[in-house]
Amino acid sequence: MQYEDLIVEVHGKVALIRLNRPKALNALNDNMMNELGEALAAFDKDAQIGCIVLTGSEKAFAAGADIVAMKDYTYQDTYRDNYITRNWEHILKVRKPVIGAVAGYALGGGCELAMMCDFLIAADTAKFGQPEIKIGVTPGAGATQRLPRTIGKSKAMDLLLTARTIDAVEAERIGIVSRVVPADQLIAQALEAADTIAAMPLSVAMMIKDAVNRAFETTLTEGVNYERRLFHAAFGTPAQREGMSAFIEKRLPKFEGL
Ligand code: CO8
């Protein structure tokens, strides 16, 4: 599939989606977000794919929503026609694991899009921040909600109100990022992590993703009950038969197609 603002590759069972508007540091515009939604949905449906990696360029994951496109929007445009916001959350509908691989700037909507991935691997060049206040708007794709849940209220308020940019080391220390790797190894390491996941039984990976996301939407007791239901359901999958048999027979499990 060809896209105007994305480059899409398949590496074995892993799909790699690159945001690609280099002249604008991957500023996220309507077309790119439409294309991203289409690409994600297509890979989510594709039985050959077990994990998706979303990345940008060496210089920018994405420097935010496209300020040039937004500058003249009115309240009417944004509210009535749902401009900007209408195609941003397709990524949350993806049931397969999505790894964000971030190098360079992940600012504003770029940081918010990264935080919608299941986990983030950052190059040591990555920079995260929510500078919206400096251009006279609030965040609009979840930063005021996801940041406090991820890094706590004090850190979230600091980043959102001062608009300061943090580096990859600080982002890892406060839990935005799962791992930091040298910039020249970012894609290789993200693909390696994705390969590892894609070699697991997909149905179980999807259950785990579902259960972890439930943690943000419900009480601890309800969340643990939900996990218990999925744990019981796992005993109805061929993956459980194969995984446990392989362990007892001292061989590697064959999870292909499971
Ligand atoms: N939008 C449009 N164009 C951009 C953006 C952007 N966000 N960021 C960079 N560009 C363009 C620049 O205009 C420039 O274009 P040109 O060469 O034609 O002048 C080109 O990219 C290169 O940028 P710079 O020359 O500025 O590069 P520097 O290396 O000097 O600086 C920075 C890099 C620090 C990243 C700087 O470009 C910058 O501050 N960018 C804006 C960052 C920002 O404010 N982001 C937040 C935007 S608002 C937002 O994201 C709200 C999201 C709401 C989502 C709601 C959906 C549900």
Side-chain angles (χ1 to χ4, degrees):
M1 191 88 163
Q2 289 293 312
Y3 297 97
E4 197 182 327
D5 294 326
L6 304 177
I7 299 171
V8 164
E9 298 164 12
V10 172
H11 298 256
K13 294 179 72 179
V14 175
L16 177 65
I17 303 176
R18 293 177 194 268
L19 306 172
N20 186 43
R21 293 187 70 215
K23 286 188 187 144
L25 297 182
N26 289 336
L28 304 161
N29 66 8
D30 209 33
N31 184 61
M32 186 191 262
M33 298 315 284
N34 274 336
E35 290 189 348
L36 180 60
E38 282 169 30
L40 287 167
F43 287 129
D44 206 28
K45 253 194 257 159
D46 184 339
Q48 304 309 312
I49 297 298
C51 188
I52 300 168
V53 175
L54 176 62
T55 194
S57 68
E58 282 175 19
K59 193 153 184 220
F61 177 78
D66 189 328
I67 301 169
V68 179
M70 285 189 294
K71 183 182 143 303
D72 294 322
Y73 283 170
T74 62
Y75 174 72
Q76 170 113 334
D77 296 329
T78 53
Y79 184 80
R80 187 195 63 189
D81 301 331
N82 211 9
Y83 269 8
I84 319 169
T85 51
R86 63 185 160 209
N87 50 12
W88 275 64
E89 292 189 336
H90 292 313
I91 190 167
L92 300 178
K93 304 258 177 345
V94 177
R95 297 175 71 213
K96 291 176 182 170
V98 180
I99 301 174
V102 178
Y105 295 109
L107 299 180
C111 188
E112 293 173 302
L113 178 63
M115 285 192 290
M116 286 189 245
C117 296
D118 295 322
F119 68 93
L120 294 181
I121 301 181
D124 49 14
T125 57
K127 295 183 184 68
F128 297 85
Q130 298 292 157
E132 287 90 338
I133 193 167
K134 288 204 293 188
I135 56 165
V137 289
T138 66
T144 64
Q145 305 305 303
R146 287 196 182 89
L147 271 179
R149 284 167 169 79
T150 308
I151 64 178
K153 176 181 166 184
S154 184
K155 273 276 178 195
M157 287 286 196
D158 176 359
L159 297 191
L160 290 159
L161 294 174
T162 68
R164 79 183 171 91
T165 296
I166 59 171
D167 63 17
V169 172
E170 185 170 357
E172 185 188 26
R173 180 163 54 77
I174 65 180
I176 292 177
V177 156
S178 141
R179 320 178 190 177
V180 180
V181 301
D184 62 358
Q185 291 171 31
L186 177 67
I187 298 303
Q189 296 225 13
L191 289 176
E192 193 181 317
D195 270 339
T196 302
I197 293 169
M200 304 293 179
L202 179 60
S203 50
V204 182
M206 289 165 69
M207 285 180 185
I208 291 171
K209 171 169 174 164
D210 185 17
V212 172
N213 283 331
R214 187 56 69 107
F216 297 95
E217 307 290 346
T218 192
T219 64
L220 180 61
T221 303
E222 285 306 314
V224 171
N225 279 337
Y226 190 71
E227 180 196 74
R228 194 69 34 84
R229 299 281 82 79
L230 289 174
F231 175 68
H232 292 157
F235 284 83
T237 66
Q240 178 269 336
R241 290 278 173 276
E242 171 60 13
M244 293 192 183
S245 302
F247 177 79
I248 287 164
E249 291 159 18
K250 300 192 186 303
R251 61 174 174 81
L252 289 174
K254 292 192 199 90
F255 289 131
E256 197 61 41
L258 302 185

